[in-house]
Amino acid sequence: MRNKFADAIYEIGKTNSKICALVADISPAGSMVKFREEFPERFINCGVAEQAMIGIAAGMALKGMRPFCYTIATFSLYRPFEMVRDDLAYQNLPVTVIGMGAGIIYSTLGGTHHTMEDIAVASAIPNMTVLAPCDPEEMRLATTWCATESTGPVYMRLGKAGEPDLTANAVDPFIVGKIRYLVRGDGDLCILTYGITMKMAFDVADRVRAKTGKTPSVVSVHTIKPLDEAGILDALTSHKQTAVIEEHVPHGGLGSRVKEIAWDNGITNGLKNFTLKDEFIHFYGSYEELLARHGLEAGAIAEAI
């Protein structure tokens, strides 16, 4: 998604002179070399100064620009939290904060680079829209929406690189604020997820199908806030079981929101959440190995459903 985001903002920037990119001195800014070289007046490397990056973006938005702030997810949201809340959300400015490499994908860099709570943090801020596209094409569509239709701040959670195309045969179109069925199954099981975890969701669905012969529905909840509560409720009531899978701590994420909707509507059975553990795991290895330490594995989830 990282490189595709760079391509998307470059293409939008060619026809929209209000699009600007701000980065915080990270090497992946190199993926935006075309934007930086062709539109140098609209590209700012703010250095290792994320708070300043958000403040500068707020000022540019007040002058009519559409800024995108881009850096590693932990530093895009946690370090400048006060500026995101007060400079962007309080003033309801159309600035998109890109959290790249979210979740625990930076497995070898330790807990400082593991973004396990961002959905909870961003969703708690008034006026903030929270997006988490699941593949490069959903990311392109979400970026276009941020550039042309958003009216306030957006936090967008991205993966890193190499995510597969998972939406080419989607049942539903991409609409911000609506859940999207990528596969509509036979009503036995519905899997709700977002972002980079979608690949695992498809793996779980394949394992369940092989074990039971039944086809699970697979749903992209790319808009965490505002959440499509009616769509979630319909998924809960039209399937015997629902499983939420997310690379996020157990509290404050999609799983918590789905539990709220279920409880408010008297649904107390058939819902399971699979998340990261509520702990820092001091392990330095591959992404897959760290997911396993958290108990977030396709095989284990398929067995537990």
Side-chain angles (χ1 to χ4, degrees):
M1 285 192 215
R2 183 177 61 191
N3 295 338
K4 290 293 184 181
F5 167 74
D7 293 341
I9 194 172
Y10 170 73
E11 291 299 325
I12 298 167
K14 287 197 297 185
T15 57
N16 186 341
S17 62
K18 295 186 181 301
I19 300 299
C20 52
L22 295 82
V23 303
D25 201 29
I26 56 173
S27 58
S31 63
M32 288 196 278
V33 63
K34 289 191 294 186
F35 190 100
R36 186 184 66 216
E37 293 184 351
E38 194 157 332
F39 315 116
E41 74 283 3
R42 290 190 271 137
F43 181 91
I44 302 175
N45 186 345
C46 299
V48 186
E50 291 80 2
Q51 296 96 330
M53 177 176 69
I54 298 298
I56 293 168
M60 297 177 79
L62 286 170
K63 293 296 184 182
M65 301 298 287
R66 307 279 299 201
F68 284 73
C69 298
Y70 176 89
T71 190
I72 294 172
T74 50
F75 309 129
S76 73
L77 190 62
Y78 301 167
R79 185 172 289 171
F81 175 76
E82 181 181 350
M83 289 72 188
V84 170
R85 179 183 182 275
D86 294 349
D87 292 358
L88 303 187
Y90 186 66
Q91 302 187 86
N92 201 25
L93 297 176
V95 175
T96 301
V97 178
I98 302 293
M100 185 270 292
I104 57 172
I105 200 165
Y106 281 110
S107 59
T108 58
L109 298 183
T112 56
H113 286 61
H114 298 168
T115 316
M116 308 188 300
E117 322 86 347
D118 57 330
I119 297 297
V121 171
S123 296
I125 305 173
N127 289 333
M128 183 68 77
T129 295
V130 181
L131 303 178
C134 73
D135 76 347
E137 178 59 13
E138 257 195 8
M139 182 279 307
R140 185 187 68 80
L141 296 169
T143 300
T144 301
W145 182 86
C146 292
T148 59
E149 297 186 55
S150 65
T151 57
V154 178
Y155 172 70
M156 184 152 68
R157 182 191 233 233
L158 297 186
K160 188 179 174 186
E163 289 83 7
D165 176 6
L166 298 168
T167 60
N169 299 311
V171 175
D172 297 326
F174 175 87
I175 301 174
V176 169
K178 295 292 184 183
I179 65 171
R180 184 186 193 192
Y181 280 81
L182 304 187
V183 176
R184 193 176 288 275
D186 51 26
D188 191 66
L189 170 66
C190 182
I191 301 174
L192 303 173
T193 191
Y194 57 86
I196 56 176
T197 316
M198 184 58 73
K199 183 174 182 298
M200 181 185 297
F202 270 92
D203 193 356
V204 171
D206 289 342
R207 292 169 185 263
V208 170
R209 188 181 305 109
K211 184 173 69 173
T212 66
K214 297 179 178 178
T215 300
S217 296
V218 180
V219 175
S220 172
V221 189
H222 48 71
T223 307
I224 309 297
K225 184 185 178 185
L227 187 63
D228 180 6
E229 296 188 12
I232 296 290
L233 179 59
D234 181 72
L236 288 168
T237 56
S238 61
H239 295 80
K240 294 179 182 176
Q241 297 183 81
T242 301
V244 179
I245 306 174
E246 62 179 332
E247 201 172 307
H248 189 274
V249 292
H251 312 294
L254 176 62
S256 295
R257 293 298 317 281
V258 173
K259 283 182 181 177
E260 290 175 7
I261 295 168
W263 176 262
D264 289 346
N265 290 278
I267 301 169
T268 57
N269 293 315
L271 173 60
K272 293 182 178 180
N273 286 347
F274 301 91
T275 70
L276 300 176
K277 294 179 180 177
D278 183 20
E279 61 182 88
F280 295 108
I281 294 179
H282 298 279
F283 170 80
Y284 303 89
S286 72
Y287 175 49
E288 289 74 18
E289 289 173 325
L290 187 53
L291 283 173
R293 297 286 180 120
H294 277 280
L296 204 59
E297 291 182 293
I301 294 171
E303 286 299 318
I305 290 174

